[in-house]
Amino acid sequence: MRRSVGRSALYGVLFGLATAAVAEAVRPRGGTTLLVDWDEVRRTAHSRLERPRIEPGRLASVATGYRALADKLEKPLLDFVGPLRKGASLPRFEALDREGWLDLNLGILRRAVDPVLESGRMPNSLIVEVGRAGVNRYVGFMLAFLGRRVLGQYDPQLMSAEPIGGEGLYLVETNVEEWQNHAKLPDQDLRRWLILHEMTHAWQFAAHPWLRKHMEDSMRVILESATRTTSPAARVAAFAGVLPAQWRVMRQMQGTMSFVEGYSNLVMNELGRKILPGFDQLEAAYRARGRSRSVVEVLIWRLTGLDLKLQQYKRGEAFAKAVYDARGMHVLNLAWKGAESMPRVDELADAGRWYRRVAA
């Protein structure tokens, strides 16, 4: 009996301490705060970058070389995929080091997220501080991880308050050079191959204006869900992208994003095979690059969901290849008529189903 009373007293003390801890965690501390500290995100990411900088003069020289290659590739690209709309053009290439890539993508994130952060400021409390620290570290870690791997990028200036026209095409020279040396790849053909991929992305947006609005509208739904939630914990979850309402919109976007990436891969491979002497070596090295991840990299890809995204893009590439092989580029390009013509997630594995819906 005495032992039972003692145990009950202990449980009572522990319950009281837990209640007090929760109360302290959610107790307002005066003022409001933003959920992301971009300076802390940058410090976290930058501290994990290796070889962050390339001398500016060398970057400028490399960028000039990119542009010369792109100028020669534009005509065969447009002959293969189709013309640009009247008055449209493709942006010029820039060369980035890892630090430049980090700052570019911090700018992209801030452009999209800052308006939502400002409209969804939260009262200061311990739980908010803990959540913000977790978000800062997660975003910083992800940027550093990708900053050591990304080879090229197209920035369509989504969610930009500025007039459209600031799109950018980039290769991350540090990563390209590192992969070239490691896999002993031909330097000119490697860069031409990567340029083809990124130029295709630029063509997708330049030739089809509806794509920008479709992407922006979807992003707004996902981001603004963070301001419609009331509790700090729910807002942290919203910025992590784990709310059910976000899942529904993200699933709708998966078909579009998978096709956008898969189409670019199809172009870089089908056109690359025709015009690049070193294509077979490049393709083999690219496939090997995906298989040669370390145990730590495999774990990161799986824990962060990047592996699932890569698999989705592979499905998009398989879909594009199936349509192209069976019916040609003119049929594959029916997907660019509008958002309703994009393949849905369940059609990526059934190109015939998509064709029957869109062609009808």
Side-chain angles (χ1 to χ4, degrees):
M1 179 69 175
R2 191 178 302 164
R3 184 178 301 170
S4 177
V5 172
R7 188 181 298 118
S8 297
L10 177 61
Y11 289 160
V13 171
L14 293 175
F15 179 76
L17 290 173
T19 302
V22 171
E24 174 61 21
V26 299
R27 178 177 62 83
R29 298 184 170 188
T32 60
T33 188
L34 301 178
L35 190 55
V36 180
D37 181 340
W38 295 113
D39 291 336
E40 181 60 29
V41 169
R42 190 185 189 282
R43 281 192 294 271
T44 299
H46 195 276
S47 68
R48 294 175 176 271
L49 290 179
E50 300 171 4
R51 299 174 58 209
R53 296 186 185 92
I54 292 177
E55 196 271 325
R58 180 166 172 250
L59 275 181
S61 175
V62 169
T64 300
Y66 291 168
R67 293 166 193 162
L69 294 175
D71 287 345
K72 294 177 181 178
L73 288 170
E74 183 169 334
K75 185 181 186 304
L77 173 67
L78 297 181
D79 288 344
F80 188 73
V81 298
L84 291 166
R85 60 190 174 89
K86 187 176 181 180
S89 61
L90 302 179
R92 298 201 313 165
F93 266 89
E94 299 291 344
L96 296 176
D97 52 22
R98 286 170 174 166
E99 184 177 74
W101 182 90
L102 172 62
D103 288 336
L104 169 71
N105 283 275
L106 279 171
I108 291 171
L109 286 173
R110 295 196 67 166
R111 190 169 65 223
V113 174
D114 271 353
V116 180
L117 289 175
E118 285 294 342
S119 64
R121 296 182 72 97
M122 294 178 289
N124 281 312
S125 68
L126 179 60
I127 194 170
V128 170
E129 289 179 15
V130 172
R132 184 170 71 163
V135 171
N136 291 340
R137 290 191 179 93
Y138 176 79
V139 176
F141 178 83
M142 287 296 298
L143 285 171
F145 177 73
L146 292 172
R148 298 189 299 269
R149 293 189 61 87
V150 170
L151 300 171
Q153 184 168 331
Y154 166 62
D155 173 19
Q157 291 280 304
L158 297 178
M159 310 293 285
S160 178
E162 300 298 323
I164 292 173
E167 302 96 331
L169 282 167
Y170 308 93
L171 292 189
V172 186
E173 177 63 20
T174 316
N175 297 342
V176 174
E177 182 181 60
E178 193 172 271
W179 184 37
Q180 173 199 329
N181 293 335
H182 175 75
K184 297 179 174 57
L185 299 173
D187 58 348
Q188 293 291 295
D189 275 2
L190 171 59
R191 286 159 180 80
R192 291 169 72 200
W193 195 49
L194 298 173
I195 285 170
L196 271 179
H197 181 96
E198 303 306 334
M199 282 180 69
T200 303
H201 281 320
W203 170 84
Q204 291 166 346
F205 281 84
H208 313 99
W210 64 266
L211 181 59
R212 185 186 309 277
K213 184 177 185 304
H214 174 58
M215 298 283 289
E216 288 181 333
D217 289 346
S218 300
M219 289 172 64
R220 285 194 182 96
V221 171
I222 294 171
L223 290 169
E224 289 174 2
S225 62
T227 62
R228 290 195 296 269
T229 58
T230 55
S231 72
R235 286 187 181 171
V236 172
F239 276 100
V242 297
L243 294 182
Q246 293 173 313
W247 294 344
R248 288 191 290 271
V249 178
M250 285 191 284
R251 180 170 173 80
Q252 292 169 5
M253 285 185 69
Q254 280 177 359
T256 298
M257 289 301 300
S258 297
F259 181 75
V260 165
E261 283 294 331
Y263 186 97
S264 290
N265 279 356
L266 173 85
V267 172
M268 73 185 290
N269 289 331
E270 295 300 322
L271 183 54
R273 185 176 285 108
K274 296 177 180 179
I275 65 176
L276 301 179
F279 172 79
D280 290 339
Q281 183 184 359
L282 293 170
E283 186 183 37
Y286 180 75
R287 303 301 176 192
R289 187 173 188 253
R291 295 191 300 266
S292 63
R293 299 178 196 149
S294 68
V295 174
V296 174
E297 285 181 314
V298 170
L299 185 62
I300 291 171
W301 279 81
R302 290 183 178 175
L303 290 178
T304 59
L306 289 172
D307 202 46
L308 291 176
K309 187 179 293 293
L310 182 61
Q311 290 177 29
Q312 201 73 40
Y313 290 167
K314 287 180 178 178
R315 292 179 65 193
E317 183 178 356
F319 168 89
K321 183 81 164 89
V323 176
Y324 175 79
D325 287 347
R327 304 181 185 276
M329 183 62 82
H330 66 289
V331 172
L332 183 61
N333 280 346
L334 292 176
W336 298 115
K337 289 169 59 179
E340 69 284 350
S341 298
M342 283 281 117
R344 298 165 182 165
V345 172
D346 56 355
E347 291 173 334
L348 291 176
D350 190 348
R353 182 177 175 184
W354 168 84
Y355 175 75
R356 290 189 295 272
R357 177 175 67 83
V358 173

